[in-house]
Amino acid sequence: MRWIATAAAAAALTVVGVSPAGAAEPGTSWTADLASGEAAGVTSAGGAVRLDPATAFDAPADDTGLTEGAADPTGVVPTGLLTLAPRELDTPTSQVSSVLDADVPPGTSASMDVRGRTAHGGWTEWVPASDGAVSLPVATDEVQGRLVLTGSESGAVPTVRGARLRARPSTGGPEGGLTETVPFTANVFATREGLVGGTTANGHVITERDHFVALPSRRALSPRDTSDYSVRVCAPNGRCAFAPVWDVGPWNTRDDYWNPGDQRQEWKDLPRGVPQAQAAFRDGYHGGNDQFGRKLVNPAGIDLGDGVFWDALGLKDNSQVQVDYLWTGTVRLSTVATESAEGIARVLSAPEDGAEVVGVAANSADVPVECVTGSWARIGEKQFLAAAVLPGAKDLPTCDAGGGTGAAQAPTSAEIGAAAAVRAGAATVEDPADPADPADPTDPADPADPADPRLSRVGP
């Protein structure tokens, strides 16, 4: 067998001889079951996994240095993912290494992302391997790997026949207390994704009036049909949507701007909560270009599926929005499971039938459940869902007379509008749509499309 460290993109057919696992090394090692992995942009046959450029999404090659600028979007290559089954460990770990049995032609790469289960039941973000190893932010007793394959501009693709992972033991138990911390919140510019019939980075086929969002980093990309990374998006009109992160974009693919600078993958000098696209568009940062070298035509930091844009938020044009990145806190989250034909659950302003509809929660989105009152669950200030659509919400406290327990609060309509006006800057925020009269779906919300159609999922 030929084993390679998963750290870097291979520039030639040179294979580094790395022993899969030394018997004397401490920790737990295992061979991943590639056949049972969830594929997005890859195909599996004969026990091997191969990149499929026809269904892969486009991202910069990891070894191009493209994030520091290029005159044109060269170095953009098809990227596919294979999400492996989680692995429970007898001993907590914060260090996971991996090696692959792979054919890696020049200009292609094969690597591994890893994440860990947190003390409050969620997941850390995906951490890309560096020199074949991942350091997780916390010690954990459950980890998960995700194989990342990239092709070359000339059409070459890598093939992986096997993957071995090793979790090194940590001192002490799993980290992280159960004290609640609120999710990080930022005010960013949102654009409509569209692309009906296309395939997202996690393999979801986009439908009419779809309910999901895209963020410009695969670190917070949920596996297909899951809510591991979800957001609450609130428009200036006070309406809010809860939706999972199922795609990568807009503009960039390595901009986890919601993380502190010392954790941010790229553009560490920017303030937390400021997308690279926003800084480039409004302040000329990075020459006014995105990571591909394209001139920014808007400052977007989040893309919204058409159902989120038109139906949930009632928007008619691109707009500033308030975003809660729900996985960044430790507030209790529960997954929405509704059998409605629209695939959504309506968020009401009060715990009673007939109350005003103030938002929408997508089926399979995570929502922050604070307490229950009768048959209703409070998920934010003046935001209630029928408890029946939250089957996983158990042992919840009863809301006090004021309707809550003092947990994380959703921004009010006035606060959202004021923040949007302050942060709009050079961008114009249009009056929001009447939720009962959404814009004609044939009218494009985005001011421009990328010149290269291959970049549509990482464009504005």
Side-chain angles (χ1 to χ4, degrees), residues 184 186 188 215-216 255-260 264 271-276 301-302 323 325:
F184 179 72
V188 299
L215 292 176
D255 186 19
D256 50 328
Y257 60 82
W258 50 88
N259 281 326
R264 191 167 176 167
R272 185 182 188 187
V274 175
Q276 186 275 346
I302 187 171
V323 183
Y325 306 85

Side-chain angles (χ1 to χ4, degrees), residues 284-359:
Y285 181 83
H286 199 239
N289 299 323
D290 70 358
Q291 72 183 65
F292 299 96
R294 297 174 297 177
K295 185 64 65 175
L296 274 298
V297 297
N298 65 45
I302 187 171
D303 264 346
L304 309 178
D306 290 355
V308 175
F309 192 96
W310 285 318
D311 303 327
L313 299 182
L315 294 173
K316 288 183 177 178
D317 202 354
N318 300 331
S319 175
Q320 290 291 132
V321 294
Q322 192 92 357
V323 183
D324 293 349
Y325 306 85
L326 296 175
W327 69 93
T328 63
T330 59
V331 175
R332 182 198 305 257
L333 299 176
S334 294
T335 304
V336 175
T338 174
E339 297 180 357
S340 71
E342 303 97 328
I344 59 172
R346 288 173 174 78
V347 180
L348 305 184
S349 62
E352 57 188 39
D353 291 320
E356 178 188 4
V357 177
V358 294

